[in-house]
Amino acid sequence: MIQAMSFEQTFIIIKPDGMQKNLTGVVLQRFTQAGLRPVACKMMRLTEPLLREHYAHLADKPFFPFILSYMQQSPVMMFVLEGEQAIAKVRELLGPTDSKLAPKGTIRGDFGVDKSTNVAHASDSVDSAHQEIARFFKPEEIFG
Ligand code: ADP
């Protein structure tokens, strides 16, 4: 059976631990080596209102206050990457949320600390990619 390929955009944040360890280039290279291409980038310090929106699905979790402060510890770098099956490819290269369970060779397995401090965020579905890209980038900032 021939499977239809899907050309997608996905959204990445290099989180404060990734920034402090200066991993932006290493992480981006893993994605570009997999055939993905950056079409937007931005550096900013995330604000609490933006984080409350971005992590709304975790608002009732006990670790939510930690996420709010951790994600504001330093500026972050954000990217939109484009390519065939970009969303699944990036999630696979990133590894599971808990860096301790992430296999070596994945970004979180190689550079993450635990389930909260895990180097990077990446969209997990087509819907969340659309929402997240629109949350952090204006249409004219995307060159896809
Ligand atoms: P992912 O980032 O892999 O998509 P989630 O959307 O479930 O995972 O969680 C968002 C972020 O919240 C995680 O990347 C991590 O920083 C933090 N987080 C998730 N689960 C936990 C947990 N059990 N304890 C501490 N932090 C967590």
Side-chain angles (χ1 to χ4, degrees):
M1 193 180 100
I2 300 171
Q3 257 204 322
M5 296 290 275
S6 54
F7 195 77
E8 298 167 341
Q9 291 185 340
T10 191
F11 172 72
I12 313 295
I13 304 176
I14 309 295
K15 295 184 180 187
D17 61 306
M19 295 295 291
Q20 282 152 17
K21 291 177 187 159
N22 204 12
L23 293 173
T24 303
V26 173
V27 171
L28 198 57
Q29 191 180 32
R30 295 212 179 174
F31 298 141
T32 56
Q33 277 175 339
L36 304 174
R37 181 176 290 274
V39 292
C41 69
K42 182 181 284 186
M43 185 166 177
M44 71 181 287
R45 195 178 284 277
L46 294 173
T47 61
E48 183 167 329
L50 266 176
L51 286 164
R52 285 189 178 277
E53 202 181 311
H54 182 66
Y55 284 124
H57 61 295
L58 300 174
D60 58 349
K61 302 284 188 203
F63 53 84
F64 189 62
F66 173 83
I67 297 182
L68 290 181
S69 71
Y70 151 63
M71 291 298 290
Q72 294 182 83
Q73 271 173 19
S74 75
V76 298
M77 293 279 282
M78 302 185 295
F79 296 90
V80 178
L81 299 181
E82 189 175 84
E84 288 298 341
Q85 315 220 281
I87 297 164
K89 263 188 198 167
V90 164
R91 291 288 294 196
E92 196 180 323
L93 291 165
L94 191 57
T97 308
D98 188 344
S99 306
K100 291 204 167 85
L101 301 179
K104 286 287 159 211
T106 64
I107 292 163
R108 285 171 167 167
D110 290 347
F111 306 113
V113 176
D114 55 25
K115 57 181 120 170
S116 55
T117 306
N118 56 10
V119 189
H121 163 84
S123 307
D124 64 1
S125 67
V126 172
D127 281 352
S128 64
H130 283 152
Q131 282 173 19
E132 291 171 356
I133 291 167
R135 180 173 301 136
F136 293 101
F137 288 94
K138 296 177 192 153
E140 63 267 29
E141 293 173 331
I142 300 168
F143 297 88

